[in-house]
Amino acid sequence: MQSLSAACAIHPDLGAVFTCERCGTFGCEDCRGSSQALLCQACVQRVAPTVVLSAGELLQDSFSLLSRNLSGVGLLLAGSLAGSVLSAAFLPSFLQDPAPSGFLLGLVSACLSSFVTAVFLSWTAQNLLQQPEPSLLSALQVGLVRFVSLFLMSILFGIAVAAGMLCFILPGLYLAVRMSLAPALVVLDGRGPLEALNHSYQLTEGHRLTLFVVFAVMILLQLVLALAGQLVLGLVSSLGAPSWLGMELFLPLWQVLGSALLYGAVVLAWMRITGRVPAQA
């Protein structure tokens, strides 16, 4: 973004990159409002309503969203099954030469996962915003455009959280919560990887405990679903059914349900904090 000819009113050594629509003040990027990009931070505090997130309501709405977004769950399941097919296709090469084949398989699988996640986030947001004609083609286009940024952001997110975990765990959990909205910012706001992480850190100020409770419940639920998946696998095997039926269908389904809940909560939290409150949630 090119700087305006004027200097920032707060930081005169920096060039202005926007003009506040409310007060007309020239501002640099650091002075831009975190939730309203066309206002300066001072005006955002004056005019923006206080956003109150309730952990109970966010959890309830996330479960409600899951039942109303079965098409999105189907997209995630299709991506998971595609990943299984991809792994099977790479298996002969992996057995012959594990090192390069394993790296290539991991890279392709990660890119596929990022693409499917981006499509799911876009599709879910379209439905929550109740657009007249939610378009799967549009969601697929968003996935193609944004999956690389989402992939890079995920790497940076993982590095930051892992480094925090090494410092007595709590810093890692803190960073995970503060940067939790980054996927929505990459896919739905079109921000770059670093910008999304930084902006998520700003947006989650004041909502840390609520988001921690919500995501902790989601992760615990994913563990429960994983355990249930293992029980289903055992039941399928004991009934004499083919092993692939459990591994390729039931287990991915449990994993997909957990992912759909988690990413649905991310989209809902992003919408409410930034003022994009859906008509129904």
Side-chain angles (χ1 to χ4, degrees), residues 77 81 225 228-230 232-233 236 241-257:
L77 183 58
L81 296 176
L225 289 174
Q230 293 299 328
V232 170
L233 287 178
V236 168
S243 60
W244 62 264
L245 184 62
M247 291 297 296
E248 305 299 333
L249 182 60
F250 287 107
L251 191 56
L253 179 59
W254 299 138
Q255 295 170 342
V256 161
L257 289 175

Side-chain angles (χ1 to χ4, degrees), residues 171-224:
L173 295 176
Y174 178 82
L175 289 174
V177 170
R178 294 302 299 268
M179 299 187 299
S180 59
L181 302 186
L185 292 168
V186 169
V187 176
L188 305 176
D189 266 1
R191 297 177 182 268
L194 281 173
E195 184 186 9
L197 292 170
N198 179 63
H199 197 54
S200 175
Y201 196 91
Q202 299 174 18
L203 286 176
T204 51
E205 181 65 37
H207 306 292
R208 291 166 292 181
L209 181 58
T210 296
L211 293 175
F212 173 77
V213 171
V214 169
F215 294 133
V217 171
M218 295 290 182
I219 292 173
L220 288 175
L221 181 60
Q222 284 185 314
L223 294 176
V224 171

